[in-house]
Each structure stands twice: as structure tokens, then as C-alpha cells.
Amino acid sequence: MRLPEFSFHEPLTLDQAFATIKKNNGNARFLAGGTDLVPLMKFGLETPSMIVSLKKIEGLKGIAEDNGYAMIGALTTLREIISSTVISGKLPALSEAAMAVAAPPVWNVATLGGNIRQQTRCVYYNQSRAWRLEKEPCFKAGGNVCHAVPRGKKCFSVYCGDIAPALIALDAAATISGMAGPAEVRLIDLFSNDGLSPFTLEKNTIITGIKIPVPGAASRSGYAKLRVRSAIDYPLVSAAASVALDKDSIITGVKLALSAVGPAPVAIDLNGVLVGVRIDTADFTALKDVLPKKTQIADNLALPGSYRRKMLSVIAKKAIMKAAERAAEKETI
Ligand SMILES: Cc1cc2nc3c(=O)[nH]c(=O)nc-3n(C[C@H](O)[C@H](O)[C@H](O)COP(=O)(O)OP(=O)(O)OC[C@H]3O[C@@H](n4cnc5c(N)ncnc54)[C@H](O)[C@@H]3O)c2cc1C
Ligand code: SF4
């Protein structure tokens, strides 16, 4: 599969990047590691007239702890995130989520910003041109049907990012920069929940970094993922949890976020379900009813939707227990 033609630009500053896009007035895409964008271009699913590489722009890389926050540049690679002891020690869900992405060779080039801003996926859409020509174009391809939900009126393509749910459970915000200047947006608010256009960001907005409040000792996080081949695959459902315990192991706060459950990650409020009970006596059965109702799981990934719905509570419990065990360890130190 060959790449289509496009112009290529390597600005050195954010201002240069925006000026380049304005001057060329093209259909631009930003390039970070390219591990999501380039395959989509080869499949003819992304057809930008210009590529603006972010790799030479100063100040978009690195991990620092400052005034109670972990600050991570959007161009930081997953390998750098995985190697950071600040992240593995204090924000373990983020470390685990980065490690769950694809496979080690991908970690060397794939970036945090690119992971968050990756496109939604669907087995009826993420296919070669020849495969797609055999079927009527679906909504996402500019047509009027959905092959995944035959009487559906919208696109149910799935946001399969591993890292966004971890950041949502950790209360993170994204710093962004666009034609209108810089801003800060809660991670969950980046997502539109629309499979056709999954992000709320204005066109040509750059995610410059992520800001995460560093939790106190009593709160820790965990990530769990269902996939067919643990060596490479995208999530079929995944969950990130952040759990706070008091000195008697009673849950004082829990945040849960899910991915691969619809066109956007979903934040679930479990405070009424799990807070106030000891972690070793907590009853997780309510999750079986609560979680599927919050999702839009269809039959459009590698395993049936019915199975993915059943596995939601299993994966969520796994993430919560990982977080709670880590929080309990910190309590006893
Ligand atoms: C075999 C394979 C398996 C994979 N498995 C997984 C998986 O299990 N889990 C998972 O989450 N992902 C997976 N991916 C997808 C991808 O590798 C990761 O999401 C990766 O982190 C994307 O980062 P990148 O820097 O390569 O993004 P790119 O491909 O460079 O960019 C992705 C998108 O984000 C935009 N973008 C990039 N950086 C910014 C920025 N700073 N601001 C605004 N927009 C930006 C680009 O324009 C593009 O639209 C897989 C990919 C492959 C090829
Ligand atoms: S969910 Fe439906 S409309 Fe969306 S990509 Fe899949 S088949 Fe197309």
C-alpha cells in the first residue's frame, strides 16, 4: 500500500506550525510518531494534503513534577512514560496503560498526544480500499448506512485508546494550543462521543501536554485490558481506576473510566456503589448492572459485543483491585 501525495512541513515553533497551515490553506494533519496516522493514510482513510510534523517543535517533550502536578509533554514517547519512576510510582495506571499499547517497538516512536488523539476504529471501516469497495459506504465513509448496527442512525466506531481512560481516572487535563491561543481542557471534555468526528477540539489544535494532579499516599491507580493477543492488540474493553483508602482499608473515593466501549471513553461515578465499605468486603456485583448501561458497545471489534459487555465488570473489578492493593501498600508503609 502506497502513501498518497502530500506536502510535508517541519516547523520549529507552534507559531510556525499555525502560520504554515494558514499560508497553505490545506487539509492538514499533525504528525507525531505516525503509528496511527500513517496506516490510516495507507488504507486511504485519511487523505491530508499537508502533513505538519510536530517533532522539531521545542518544549513538547519531557516529564516533570511541579507544584503537586505531573506535567508530561505531548510528544513524550510511550517508552519514556514507561521508564519514568515518577509515573510508575505515583501514577501506575498511566504506566500500565502505556505498556498495554501495541508492543515494545511501537513504544519507541508512539507519543502521548498521538495516543489520545487517535481515530476511532471499526471492523467494517478499518480495511483496505479493495475490501471496502465490496460494501455500500457506511456513515463514516460518507454513506447512509451502518454495517455494525443495521438500523442505526449514527456511527458507533470505537475509541480504542489505552491511555485516555487512565488519564481520566487520574483527573488529568490537557493543555492545548490553537489559532485562538492556549487553553486547558479536562481530558474527558476532549471527546465528543460522535464516531464520525470523535473530538471536540477545533480544527488544527495541538495538544501540547498533559497535567495530572499527583495523588496523596492513600490513593493509587490501576489499569486492566481485555484483548485477544496480549503481544499487540487494541483493547476490546479496558478500565482504569483510581482508589483512595483510609487506614482501615475503607474506600473513601473511587474513580473509574472505560475505553473501547463506544465512540468515547466513559467516566463512571461509583461513589454511591463502593464508597464507605472495606475493600476486602466490597460487593462488586452491582457493576454487572451499572456498567453496560453507560456504554454503547456494538458488534464492531474482534469479539462479539455481548461478550465484551459481560467482561466489563470483570475488567473493571481487576482495575479497581489493582488500585486498591497499591493504595493499601502505601497506607502500611
Ligand atoms: C499494530 C498496532 C497496534 C496498536 N495497538 C494499540 C493499542 O493497543 N492501544 C492504543 O491505544 N493504540 C494502539 N495503536 C495505535 C497507535 O500506535 C498509538 O495510539 C500511538 O500512541 C499513537 O501515537 P503516535 O504518536 O504514533 O500518533 P500519530 O499517528 O502521529 O497521530 C495520531 C493522530 O493524532 C494526531 N496528533 C498527534 N499528536 C498530536 C498532538 N500533539 N496534538 C494534536 N493532534 C495530534 C495526528 O494528527 C493523528 O490524527 C496501535 C497501532 C499499531 C500500528
Ligand atoms: S460503526 Fe457503522 S458507520 Fe461507524 S464505521 Fe462502523 S460500520 Fe461505519
Side-chain angles (χ1 to χ4, degrees):
M1 279 180 234
R2 297 177 62 169
L3 282 171
E5 280 197 14
F6 53 84
S7 63
F8 184 74
H9 308 266
E10 282 187 299
L12 302 179
T13 63
L14 290 171
D15 285 346
Q16 268 184 24
F18 298 130
T20 306
I21 294 172
K22 219 169 169 181
K23 184 173 154 211
N24 291 279
N25 195 23
N27 172 26
R29 291 288 180 283
F30 296 117
L31 179 76
T35 60
D36 182 56
L37 181 62
V38 174
L40 291 176
M41 287 172 68
K42 288 192 169 179
F43 273 49
L45 296 170
E46 289 271 16
T47 50
S49 61
M50 64 190 292
I51 293 284
V52 180
S53 170
L54 302 177
K55 288 184 201 170
K56 291 196 173 164
I57 298 181
E58 292 253 328
L60 295 185
K61 263 192 137 203
I63 301 167
E65 206 178 336
D66 181 31
N67 215 6
Y69 287 92
M71 316 289 285
I72 312 175
L75 265 279
T76 306
T77 64
L78 303 191
R79 172 75 68 190
E80 287 160 337
I81 289 173
I82 291 161
S83 308
S84 160
T85 49
V86 171
I87 295 179
S88 57
K90 296 179 180 172
L91 307 163
L94 174 54
S95 213
E96 278 181 310
M99 250 187 279
V101 173
V106 176
W107 303 344
N108 296 333
V109 286
T111 66
L112 178 60
N115 189 280
I116 295 166
R117 185 62 186 69
Q118 68 181 270
Q119 257 300 341
T120 52
R121 303 181 63 77
C122 171
V123 287
Y124 298 101
Y125 180 76
N126 292 85
Q127 301 288 352
S128 66
R129 244 192 212 101
W131 192 100
R132 296 196 314 271
L133 278 175
E134 298 291 316
K135 279 193 177 288
E136 191 184 337
C138 69
F139 291 125
K140 187 123 178 160
N144 286 310
V145 292
C146 172
H147 302 300
V149 181
R151 281 181 296 281
K153 296 273 181 278
K154 61 173 198 166
C155 171
F156 291 85
S157 61
V158 188
Y159 181 76
C160 291
D162 276 300
I163 291 187
L167 294 175
I168 292 166
L170 288 165
D171 260 342
T175 51
I176 60 172
S177 190
M179 303 283 185
E184 197 174 298
V185 188
R186 285 193 322 150
L187 229 287
I188 190 80
D189 294 333
L190 291 178
F191 297 92
S192 66
N193 202 24
D194 173 359
L196 291 187
S197 178
F199 297 92
T200 55
L201 293 170
E202 291 285 329
K203 205 174 156 201
N204 301 326
T205 301
I206 297 175
I207 300 172
T208 51
I210 296 297
K211 185 177 167 188
I212 313 169
V214 175
S219 171
R220 281 294 175 267
S221 56
Y223 184 69
K225 167 173 177 174
L226 173 72
R227 55 180 164 179
V228 177
R229 300 165 300 177
S230 60
I232 189 86
D233 285 334
Y234 283 88
L236 294 164
V237 296
S238 79
S242 181
V243 174
L245 298 182
D246 72 7
K247 60 179 176 18
D248 299 317
S249 291
I250 291 176
I251 303 172
T252 56
V254 51
K255 294 196 179 89
L256 183 73
L258 306 173
S259 193
V261 294
V266 176
I268 310 266
D269 181 356
L270 287 179
N271 283 337
V273 181
L274 287 175
V275 165
V277 291
R278 271 182 63 95
I279 185 66
D280 50 358
T281 59
D283 180 6
F284 288 91
T285 47
L287 297 186
K288 284 187 195 156
D289 295 327
V290 173
L291 299 185
K293 287 181 192 149
K294 308 275 182 191
T295 67
Q296 300 178 63
I297 294 178
D299 272 327
N300 56 354
L301 293 182
L303 289 176
S306 54
Y307 178 72
R308 289 169 50 223
R309 264 189 291 277
K310 278 191 187 147
M311 288 302 288
L312 266 178
S313 57
V314 178
I315 295 297
K317 180 179 174 186
K318 208 168 160 183
I320 293 168
M321 288 310 292
K322 277 186 184 184
E325 277 159 23
R326 288 175 183 142
E329 273 169 28
K330 296 305 291 179
E331 260 308 317
T332 54
I333 285 172

